[in-house]
């Protein structure tokens, strides 16, 4: 059984055909939103973070929203494997009260970040000369800037309706912000024309920006007035950039994208819109690493974890299930590392065919 599927855009596939698969192909990594879905990718992260790029000397941009941002906050720490294991350990064993409110879930989130970052993590991320972390956050407008439940629900319904008509109408409700390394020089282009305001990460705003990137509306509290950024309410970056539909520069390297889904969608509201596909240019240089359908079918409950597990399973059952997925995910990492530095692997890579032209 093949446990790992590789998908590549045209330029990525061409380079792999010419050069094989090696770490110097890549100048970027992407990390999507998805909460506990990330557990199925943990085994890939456990080899990519400490092993694949351990000899790297030039910058690698790691761009993440929500769970992806949390992962890349681990990647940019000096001991990335230990940080990643702290994230997996604490997040997978999180337990809430019977009916948790946004305050309780937010408090647990802040405690999780404190544990993952430890005493030195913030400083290590800011000073990392190679791994340049970028956290995608959505600044909310109008009703969505409120903490009132009814106001948020109304704002979400209005923005979902706007997105249904045209994706770039989301700009009337949210502004994309990227909190990243001061000297990174990252360029972000959106085929829909939505802007991205870049804010330098600092000791004063890193924790807040990271927390905001995972602050799901209605589920967690928003983060207000992040230092160094315009005043306002900041929430989950996945609202705009759930699985990404963006192009990056200025360097010409490929984009490595471990992902739990073989057909990514641009934004959170696009999950049910089968016609809403990312632009071909956004995935031209992407190599996606995706768990195979056979691998997923062999997991407990024949699925990858998701946030609904908090409600549908008793805590002991859920934790045991998530721990099993974390353990099984190491098979994906082993499969990927067996391909590194091999030239004749192009026949194992499928072309990306889900984009709009």
């Amino acid at each position: 059984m093949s446990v790992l599927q590789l998908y590549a855009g045209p330029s990525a596939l061409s380079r792999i055909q010419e050069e094989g698969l090696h770490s110097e192909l890549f100048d970027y990594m992407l990390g999507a939103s998805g909460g506990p879905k990330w557990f199925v990718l943990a085994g890939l992260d456990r080899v990519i973070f400490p092993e694949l790029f351990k000899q790297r000397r030039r910058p690698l941009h790691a761009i993440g929203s929500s769970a992806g941002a949390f992962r890349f906050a681990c990647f940019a720490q000096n001991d990335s494997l230990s940080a990643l294991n702290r994230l997996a350990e604490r997040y997978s064993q999180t337990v809430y009260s019977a009916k948790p409110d946004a305050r309780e879930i937010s408090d647990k989130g802040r405690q999780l970040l404190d544990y993952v970052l430890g005493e030195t993590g913030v400083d290590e991320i800011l000073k990392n000369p190679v791994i340049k972390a970028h956290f995608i956050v959505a600044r909310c407008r109008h009703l969505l800037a409120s903490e009132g439940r009814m106001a948020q629900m109304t704002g979400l319904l209005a923005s979902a309706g706007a997105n249904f008509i045209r994706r770039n109408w989301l700009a009337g409700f949210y502004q994309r912000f990227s909190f990243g390394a001061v000297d990174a020089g990252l360029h972000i282009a959106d085929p829909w024309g939505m802007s991205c305001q870049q804010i330098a990460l600092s000791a004063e705003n890193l924790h807040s920006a990271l927390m905001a990137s995972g602050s799901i509306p209605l589920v967690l509290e928003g983060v207000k007035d992040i230092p160094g950024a315009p005043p306002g309410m900041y929430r989950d970056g996945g609202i705009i950039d759930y699985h990404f539909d963006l192009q990056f520069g200025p360097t010409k390297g490929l984009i490595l994208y471990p992902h739990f889904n073989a057909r990514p969608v641009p934004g959170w509201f696009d999950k049910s819109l089968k016609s809403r596909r990312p632009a071909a240019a956004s995935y031209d240089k992407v190599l996606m690493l995706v768990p195979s359908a056979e691998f997923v079918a062999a997991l407990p409950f024949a699925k990858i974890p998701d946030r609904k597990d908090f409600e549908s399973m008793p805590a002991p059952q859920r934790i045991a299930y998530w721990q099993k997925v974390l353990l099984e995910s190491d098979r994906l990492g082993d499969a990927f590392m067996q391909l590194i530095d091999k030239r004749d692997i192009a026949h194992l890579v499928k072309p990306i065919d889900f984009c709009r032209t």
Side-chain angles (χ1 to χ4, degrees):
M1 178 183 73
S2 175
V3 298
L4 185 67
Q5 296 290 337
L6 279 63
Y7 299 88
S11 291
L13 183 56
S14 177
R15 287 199 61 184
I16 291 169
Q17 288 170 336
E18 293 174 2
E19 304 177 35
L21 185 59
H22 58 91
S23 63
E24 290 300 306
L25 287 170
F26 304 102
D27 283 341
Y28 310 91
M29 268 194 76
L30 282 182
S33 303
K37 293 182 176 72
W38 161 68
F39 293 143
V40 79
L41 303 176
L44 285 166
D45 287 352
R46 283 195 278 250
V47 296
I48 291 171
F49 291 4
E51 296 297 326
L52 181 63
F53 295 113
K54 64 181 178 182
Q55 303 298 331
R56 191 178 183 91
R57 294 294 178 264
R58 73 178 194 275
L60 179 82
H61 297 283
I63 305 126
S65 64
S66 197
F70 280 41
R71 291 161 58 200
F72 292 156
C74 298
F75 192 12
Q77 293 184 54
N78 293 348
D79 187 347
S80 59
L81 180 59
S82 293
L84 189 74
N85 286 336
R86 290 196 299 273
L87 175 62
E89 169 208 336
R90 181 62 60 92
Y91 188 21
S92 66
Q93 298 184 41
T94 297
V95 177
Y96 301 114
S97 64
K99 292 186 178 181
D101 58 13
R103 172 60 59 85
E104 178 183 346
I105 298 173
S106 297
D107 285 344
K108 289 289 180 88
R110 286 185 281 267
Q111 292 166 16
L112 170 65
L113 283 187
D114 288 341
Y115 182 64
V116 170
L117 294 171
E119 294 183 359
T120 61
V122 170
D123 191 56
E124 290 169 6
I125 294 168
L126 295 174
K127 293 181 179 178
N128 195 311
V130 174
I131 307 305
K132 302 298 184 180
H134 305 267
F135 308 143
I136 303 297
V137 179
R139 181 173 179 260
C140 296
R141 299 171 182 255
H142 314 306
L143 293 175
L144 290 155
S146 169
E147 287 291 19
R149 190 169 184 82
M150 187 58 67
Q152 283 190 61
M153 290 178 66
T154 303
L156 286 169
L157 286 171
S159 56
N163 178 79
F164 178 81
I165 298 170
R166 190 168 178 81
R167 174 164 160 77
N168 60 359
W169 286 10
L170 282 177
F173 300 86
Y174 312 96
Q175 293 174 294
R176 177 189 291 117
F177 277 72
S178 173
F179 289 81
V182 177
D183 57 348
L186 177 67
H187 296 173
I188 299 177
D190 184 331
W192 290 90
M194 288 187 287
S195 66
C196 180
Q197 186 164 340
Q198 301 205 40
I199 304 295
L201 280 172
S202 69
E204 291 72 35
N205 68 18
L206 190 146
H207 194 288
S208 295
L210 193 51
M211 186 67 196
S213 187
S215 292
I216 306 167
L218 297 176
V219 179
L220 285 85
E221 298 171 329
V223 178
K224 191 173 183 181
D225 299 342
I226 298 178
M233 184 66 76
Y234 294 81
R235 301 189 190 275
D236 197 313
I239 299 171
I240 306 174
D241 298 303
Y242 188 56
H243 296 166
F244 297 104
D245 184 6
L246 299 171
Q247 293 139 48
F248 304 100
T251 54
K252 304 296 185 182
L254 302 186
I255 302 165
L256 182 61
Y257 191 9
H259 194 40
F260 48 80
N261 192 316
R263 300 190 73 85
V265 296
W268 193 34
F269 297 115
D270 299 323
K271 291 185 287 183
S272 60
L273 303 180
K274 292 184 179 180
S275 62
R276 184 63 53 78
R277 296 176 295 166
S282 297
Y283 281 77
D284 177 54
K285 299 190 296 181
V286 169
L287 174 66
M288 291 178 60
L289 312 177
V290 183
S292 70
E294 294 82 4
F295 176 83
V296 173
L299 293 175
F301 308 105
K303 73 177 193 68
I304 63 176
D306 59 63
R307 285 196 303 111
K308 294 177 182 177
D309 297 338
F310 279 113
E311 301 173 1
S312 64
M313 299 181 188
Q317 181 187 36
R318 170 180 55 79
I319 292 170
Y321 160 43
W322 287 1
Q323 294 295 321
K324 178 65 172 175
V325 173
L326 285 165
L327 181 64
E328 289 295 314
S329 75
D330 285 333
R331 296 169 61 200
L332 303 180
D334 292 341
F336 177 62
M337 291 305 287
Q338 289 174 12
L339 302 176
I340 291 297
D341 295 328
K342 289 189 168 65
R343 293 189 62 86
D344 186 23
I345 70 150
H347 65 287
L348 301 175
V349 184
K350 298 179 180 181
I352 286 176
D353 63 359
F354 52 75
C355 294
R356 59 184 173 87
T357 56

